[in-house]
Amino acid sequence: MSKISSAFENGTAFIGFLTAGDPTIDKTVEYILAMEEVGCDLVEIGIPFSDPMAEGVVIQDANVRALKHNTTTDDVFDIVARVREKTDIPLVFLTYINPVFFYGYERFFKRCAELGIDGIISPDLPYEEKGEIKDIALSNGVDVISLIAPTSKQRIQKIASDATGFIYVVSSLGVTGMRSEIKTDLNAILSDIREVTDLPLAVGFGINTPEQATEIGKIADGVIVGSAIVKIIEQYGEDAAEPLKEYVSSMKKASNE
Amino acid sequence: MSRGRYGEYGGQYISETLMNELLYLEEQYNHYMNDPDFVEELNTLLKEYAGRPSLLYYAKRMTEDLGGAKIYLKREDLNHTGAHKINNVLGQVLLAKKMGKTRVIAETGAGQHGVATATAAALLDMECEVFMGEVDTKRQALNVYRMELLGAKVHSVKSGTQTLKDAVNDAFRDWIARVHDTNYVIGSTMGPHPFPMIVRDFQAVISAEAKEQFLEKEGKLPDAVIACVGGGSNAMGAFYNFIEDEDVKLIGCEAGGKGIDTPYNAAALTNGKIGIFHGMKSIFNQGDYGQIAPVYSVSAGLDYPGVGPEHAYLRDTGRAEYVPITDEEAVVAFEYLSKMEGIIPAIESAHAVAHAMKIAPEMDKDETIMICLSGRGDKDVRSIAEYRGVDLNE
Ligand SMILES: Cc1ncc(COP(=O)(O)O)c(C=O)c1O
């Protein structure tokens, strides 16, 4: 078992996402540490990709910004190395599978093990294709985080029973992005999953306000926020540390109200 | 390993949100393809509406001029809407309708697949939205208006390279939000399983007809079948029923653009590497860290940084051969066929014509070649004039 479970030991976990290299490599290191300082329990680091198919415009734009100055997979590993000098907060990669495939699964996960990456979330690797990386990731101590969507239905059983780390529950249909309202019956999905597994369940996609965090925090073990954080980085560029801290601390607090 | 594999290629590398829908699509597809009423309805549409079977035309002047193998053109350009795309679209839209969907979406490059989808949607009374890269909406403005005339809504895609691959991205993004009422009518033998199989099966009518037509006209099968390859649907359709006939050479023509040793081409099978993108493991043009590369071709329909998984497999097994054709060679072939046979081919199809022009003279007179003439060239007249430096607005 990886360090991931420790993220769920301080009440409802707050999980923050940002795209590596947006706006710069140095700033990504700074922003991860800033979020941790104010109570972020786990950070998802997005490896930039040319074609982030599951992403809404906010995160698409972050990928464009990161790739404009050529942020590479090796740069992302450098970011992790620098973060690891300061903290052992659980870290997971959010990455499309092609950059990992291209880097070479062996080489990629060996690097993850060396640097203390705890998990990987790949939006284009459903249960049927998990075999691509499952064994090699686990043997390097990296959990392959499973996603469960509102459309998963009868698939929940096999996905959840094979999951490790935590389960990423997708709150709604569609791509990532901030939503004013989440209509899915999350309670029903969460209880279906809990019948299969004791793993922590974190809900993401669309969450951006403290009210939503409070609501999700009551029923889930973790609240995942991506687009709203990336939006702050988009807005404040190199000066986003303070606004990020303010936002993350308010969201961590709201998640536990 | 998942279903829908062609050797190591294929698979279902897609968001969990879409997985049940893909499984449902496969199940419904299998159900309806075994339903004689559905098959009958589709065949009637292909015959009465699209104009099938398409002609197998002996290109006499071209044959005599090149002085080698006899050249036949499989005239997909004569189909309603002017390309092979309608074969696939009638099948997929009819299937969507039977599945109870009320809306279809599609990506398009040249606009041919978008036009075909808009057409079938009008015919079958479905809502239709088409995603098209902004660059392509400019290259093919006439097709944008054509789709609108047919009642479709066209989204101009401004992300990434603003071409076909970005249109595919946005179509998937739309679908993931509206799986309940929408089918994604994908335009080529690509994407996650079951799409490459479904599109191939609906396009296989090309080689099924051609086989009979050849036996009737020549008493034997062709020695070579040549088709252009974007995502690979007209080529898969033209190859499929000949795969078992090992004496028939299968040749796919990719967009060599300004040359395969320049960055300006879209020749995935020549220059690409294995990767995972758009739901499939296949061959893609990509950069150092697996970023999908921007590609280029004079032909919007071939301007795609990858190829369908079954082609990757046919290449690896040696059953088919893939060659790059440059812009210049394709444009010369475009002009050649126009003057020689009075047939203006789509610039995509002209890539296949160009290769026939290279190999026919080396072949014996009793040998035969079939070129899949995937579409007609009206849509390309403006861009070819531009390529030749002719200003049509003067
Ligand atoms: C006339 C024509 N031929 C060929 C293609 C390429 O697609 P495919 O490789 O799927 O046949 C297109 C695509 O737009 C087209 O319009």
Side-chain angles (χ1 to χ4, degrees):
Chain A
M1 199 165 67
S2 67
K3 279 200 306 293
I4 284 177
S5 57
S6 71
F8 295 88
E9 284 164 0
N10 329 300
T12 304
F14 180 82
I15 299 174
F17 166 89
L18 43 61
T19 300
D22 170 34
T24 65
I25 286 164
D26 289 347
K27 286 292 158 181
T28 302
V29 175
E30 183 187 330
Y31 295 164
I32 292 170
L33 296 172
M35 294 201 294
E36 190 228 4
E37 197 189 310
V38 296
C40 187
D41 298 290
L42 186 155
V43 178
E44 277 180 26
I45 303 173
I47 299 179
F49 186 50
S50 52
D51 296 83
M53 263 169 64
E55 250 57 75
V57 254
V58 172
I59 298 179
Q60 282 179 45
D61 287 349
N63 281 273
V64 171
R65 290 193 295 272
L67 289 175
K68 204 164 251 168
H69 58 84
N70 249 325
T71 307
T72 68
T73 311
D74 285 317
D75 292 334
V76 181
F77 282 128
D78 285 345
I79 289 171
V80 176
R82 287 169 61 187
V83 168
R84 277 288 174 249
E85 287 169 10
K86 301 268 169 63
T87 170
D88 58 2
I89 182 175
L91 295 174
V92 307
F93 280 143
L94 184 298
T95 178
Y96 291 83
I97 198 64
N98 200 49
V100 183
F101 181 77
F102 194 96
Y103 202 87
Y105 293 146
E106 289 276 345
R107 191 170 153 237
F108 185 91
F109 287 105
K110 202 165 144 262
R111 223 42 210 113
C112 288
E114 286 164 8
L115 294 171
I117 283 288
D118 304 291
I120 178 171
I121 306 171
S122 189
D124 48 4
L125 213 56
Y127 175 83
E128 280 73 2
E129 305 295 358
K130 204 177 160 185
E132 286 280 333
I133 59 169
K134 185 178 160 187
D135 293 347
I136 181 116
L138 281 179
S139 70
N140 282 287
V142 178
D143 283 319
V144 182
I145 307 302
S146 300
L147 292 110
I148 288 178
T151 52
S152 294
K153 299 192 176 114
Q154 87 293 356
R155 295 169 55 77
I156 288 176
Q157 170 69 33
K158 63 180 174 192
I159 297 172
S161 55
D162 189 57
T164 57
F166 70 94
I167 289 179
Y168 190 134
V169 181
V170 177
S171 74
S172 20
L173 300 183
V175 293
T176 57
M178 296 175 275
R179 292 177 174 74
S180 52
E181 204 185 346
I182 289 162
K183 297 195 194 100
T184 310
D185 185 358
L186 282 170
N187 258 323
I189 296 174
L190 293 171
S191 67
D192 283 352
I193 303 172
R194 286 203 171 101
E195 276 177 27
V196 186
T197 180
D198 295 329
L199 285 177
L201 311 183
V203 175
F205 273 49
I207 304 171
N208 62 107
T209 66
E211 294 73 36
Q212 290 169 324
T214 301
E215 218 173 290
I216 303 287
K218 283 182 187 144
I219 53 175
D221 307 304
V223 172
I224 307 173
V225 173
S227 296
I229 287 172
V230 170
K231 192 79 198 170
I232 291 172
I233 295 173
E234 177 188 318
Q235 192 179 343
Y236 292 92
E238 307 223 343
D239 305 310
E242 284 312 313
L244 272 179
K245 279 195 209 170
E246 216 170 286
Y247 177 72
V248 170
S249 73
S250 72
M251 290 294 280
K252 170 71 188 178
K253 193 163 150 266
S255 307
N256 286 280
E257 269 166 10
Chain B
M1 199 139 65
S2 67
R3 305 136 84 112
R5 290 281 170 175
Y6 308 90
E8 68 184 302
Y9 305 109
Q12 293 181 299
Y13 300 87
I14 204 75
S15 297
E16 170 58 23
T17 307
L18 290 174
M19 279 305 297
N20 258 331
E21 190 62 25
L22 288 172
L23 296 169
Y24 179 59
L25 177 64
E26 181 179 7
E27 180 219 296
Q28 292 284 294
Y29 172 74
N30 288 331
H31 168 79
Y32 281 108
M33 292 306 273
N34 285 309
D35 172 356
D37 291 340
F38 178 86
V39 173
E40 167 76 26
E41 197 173 342
L42 177 58
N43 286 340
T44 304
L45 285 176
L46 288 171
K47 182 160 170 261
E48 307 289 334
Y49 187 72
R52 302 208 70 88
S54 71
L55 299 176
L56 182 71
Y57 167 75
Y58 170 46
K60 185 156 176 282
R61 284 199 70 213
M62 185 177 172
T63 299
E64 285 169 5
D65 182 63
L66 295 172
K70 279 178 90 170
I71 295 172
Y72 283 89
L73 307 178
K74 181 64 175 159
R75 300 287 309 273
E76 295 303 306
D77 61 316
L78 295 177
N79 298 338
H80 180 44
T81 70
H84 67 293
K85 301 286 183 188
I86 195 81
N87 305 331
N88 165 43
V89 155
L90 286 173
Q92 285 202 61
V93 179
L94 187 63
L95 178 64
K97 180 114 189 157
K98 299 283 175 197
M99 285 168 68
K101 305 285 177 166
T102 55
R103 177 175 177 265
V104 290
I105 55 170
E107 87 293 344
T108 198
Q112 292 305 100
H113 175 62
V115 167
T117 308
T119 299
L123 177 73
L124 296 169
D125 192 20
M126 307 274 275
E127 204 185 322
C128 177
E129 295 186 33
V130 178
F131 296 84
M132 188 171 187
E134 174 121 321
V135 168
D136 291 335
T137 60
K138 291 189 179 134
R139 281 200 275 200
Q140 300 286 349
L142 204 57
N143 269 342
V144 174
Y145 189 66
R146 205 167 269 150
M147 288 182 264
E148 288 167 354
L149 266 180
L150 292 160
K153 180 165 180 210
V154 180
H155 297 271
S156 171
V157 176
K158 294 179 182 63
S159 58
T161 56
Q162 306 185 348
T163 59
L164 185 52
K165 86 170 164 70
D166 310 284
V168 174
N169 292 342
D170 268 18
F172 272 114
R173 288 178 184 129
D174 178 279
W175 196 31
I176 203 174
R178 285 191 67 169
V179 275
H180 53 285
D181 70 347
T182 298
N183 260 25
Y184 179 13
V185 175
I186 210 164
S188 193
T189 44
M190 47 170 286
H193 179 69
F195 285 122
M197 170 186 80
I198 291 179
V199 178
R200 176 253 275 152
D201 289 355
F202 286 142
Q203 290 294 358
V205 65
I206 299 174
S207 48
E209 287 173 8
K211 212 165 171 170
E212 272 182 35
Q213 290 167 321
F214 257 94
L215 290 172
E216 196 178 295
K217 284 182 197 283
E218 288 285 329
K220 59 177 185 153
L221 298 180
D223 295 285
V225 173
I226 307 178
C228 66
V229 178
S233 70
N234 89 88
M236 238 12 266
F239 292 175
Y240 190 61
N241 290 287
F242 291 116
I243 291 176
E244 60 188 18
D245 305 302
E246 295 198 358
D247 293 335
V248 180
K249 266 182 98 165
L250 307 175
I251 307 169
C253 301
E254 298 193 291
K258 296 183 180 171
I260 50 163
D261 41 13
T262 74
Y264 306 103
N265 66 76
L269 288 169
T270 307
N271 274 348
K273 295 195 182 83
I274 184 169
I276 301 170
F277 181 49
H278 279 166
M280 57 183 167
K281 186 178 277 185
S282 190
I283 305 294
F284 298 96
N285 297 88
Q286 45 190 321
D288 281 346
Y289 283 88
Q291 305 295 342
I292 302 304
V295 286
Y296 162 85
S297 166
V298 65
S299 143
L302 302 184
D303 202 356
Y304 180 71
V307 67
E310 199 165 4
H311 284 294
Y313 178 66
L314 290 176
R315 178 196 70 172
D316 284 8
T317 57
R319 181 61 192 94
E321 172 196 355
Y322 296 85
V323 295
I325 298 292
T326 63
D327 284 358
E328 178 63 23
E329 290 169 326
V331 170
V332 167
F334 178 92
E335 294 163 339
Y336 178 86
L337 195 69
S338 302
K339 295 209 167 67
M340 197 56 75
E341 296 287 347
I343 296 170
I344 302 177
I347 187 62
E348 289 80 17
S349 325
H351 286 70
V353 176
H355 191 64
M357 289 164 66
K358 287 185 192 173
I359 65 168
E362 326 269 273
M363 292 170 68
D364 287 342
K365 287 195 157 112
D366 59 358
E367 290 184 300
T368 55
I369 292 174
M370 176 177 105
I371 301 171
C372 183
L373 207 70
S374 57
R376 67 172 185 232
D378 309 43
K379 67 180 176 57
D380 300 309
V381 170
R382 174 170 288 275
S383 58
I384 300 304
E386 223 165 79
Y387 183 90
R388 286 300 187 209
V390 177
D391 186 351
L392 297 179
N393 297 322
E394 256 172 26

